[in-house]
């Protein structure tokens, strides 16, 4: 049995309708529209924008490679610890001797010069020694690492500029 999409002209309107029925608009199939649209007058959704072009992966580790920075942080941390413990360690020994061994601090080292005063005056050279130790460890351990990372950053920047 076939279905006739056009109603016959002799069809009578239903009894409840006061006016003749309006012909219902039939959506015309359009090939560019997607079938899931709710209303026929909705515009077809725009195709998704193309994604970014695939980038070529670098053949080397990028700037800020974690292991390089971790090594630099570790070297700098050791540098700070050594210098700080040198200066504060001496001061702590001086305080402990002052509090726990007053007889040692009051003992005379030379004519009228107590050991406590001599240890207090030695604090300035120990602080200068801590500064010198800080400079030495910076030159020997931290600066070469920082120089290497800085050089690698320059190489990476030049390589990125060529792209």
């Amino acid at each position: 049995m076939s279905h006739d999409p056009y109603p016959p002209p002799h069809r009578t309107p239903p009894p409840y309708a006061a006016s003749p029925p309006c012909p219902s608009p039939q959506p015309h199939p359009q090939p560019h529209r997607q079938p899931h649209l709710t209303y026929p007058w909705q515009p077809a959704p725009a195709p998704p924008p193309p994604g970014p072009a695939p980038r070529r992966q670098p053949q080397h580790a990028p700037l800020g490679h974690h292991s390089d920075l971790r090594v630099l942080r570790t070297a700098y941390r050791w540098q700070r610890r050594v210098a700080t413990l040198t200066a504060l360690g001496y001061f702590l020994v001086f305080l402990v001797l002052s509090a726990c061994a007053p007889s040692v601090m009051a003992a005379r080292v030379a004519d009228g010069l107590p050991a406590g005063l001599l240890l207090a005056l030695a604090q300035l050279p120990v602080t200068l020694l801590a500064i010198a130790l800080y400079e030495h460890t910076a030159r020997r351990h931290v600066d070469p690492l920082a120089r290497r990372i800085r050089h690698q950053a320059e190489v990476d920047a030049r390589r990125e500029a060529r792209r």
Side-chain angles (χ1 to χ4, degrees):
M1 203 173 193
S2 68
H3 179 272
D4 187 11
Y6 301 103
H10 64 277
R11 187 171 176 195
T12 59
Y16 56 83
S19 64
C22 295
S24 63
Q26 296 289 328
H28 298 287
Q30 296 177 357
H32 68 279
R33 297 209 183 235
Q34 296 179 359
H36 71 279
L37 297 175
T38 306
Y39 301 108
W41 57 84
Q42 283 182 325
R55 294 189 63 177
R56 200 178 80 191
Q57 294 296 326
Q59 297 174 356
H60 60 86
L63 169 66
H65 190 62
H66 295 295
S67 65
D68 290 341
L69 294 177
R70 194 175 303 124
V71 168
L72 182 62
R73 278 193 305 267
T74 303
Y76 184 60
R77 190 177 305 126
W78 275 106
Q79 177 191 20
R80 286 188 320 241
R81 285 179 186 165
V82 167
T84 302
L85 289 177
T86 302
L88 290 181
Y90 181 81
F91 184 67
L92 183 65
V93 167
F94 178 74
L95 287 179
V96 167
L97 284 175
S98 296
C100 298
S103 61
V104 172
M105 298 299 272
R108 302 275 177 198
V109 177
D111 292 333
L113 185 63
L117 181 60
L118 187 63
L119 289 175
L121 292 174
Q123 203 161 13
L124 182 63
V126 168
T127 304
L128 294 176
L129 175 70
I131 293 170
L133 190 60
Y134 187 87
E135 287 289 321
H136 172 74
T137 57
R139 261 187 254 110
R140 185 174 177 143
H141 299 287
V142 179
D143 288 349
L145 290 171
R147 208 173 298 117
R148 187 180 80 206
I149 291 173
R150 192 176 303 119
H151 175 71
Q152 185 64 38
E154 291 170 0
V155 168
D156 287 345
R158 274 189 251 126
R159 197 171 281 147
E160 283 295 320
R162 279 188 263 154
R163 287 186 183 178

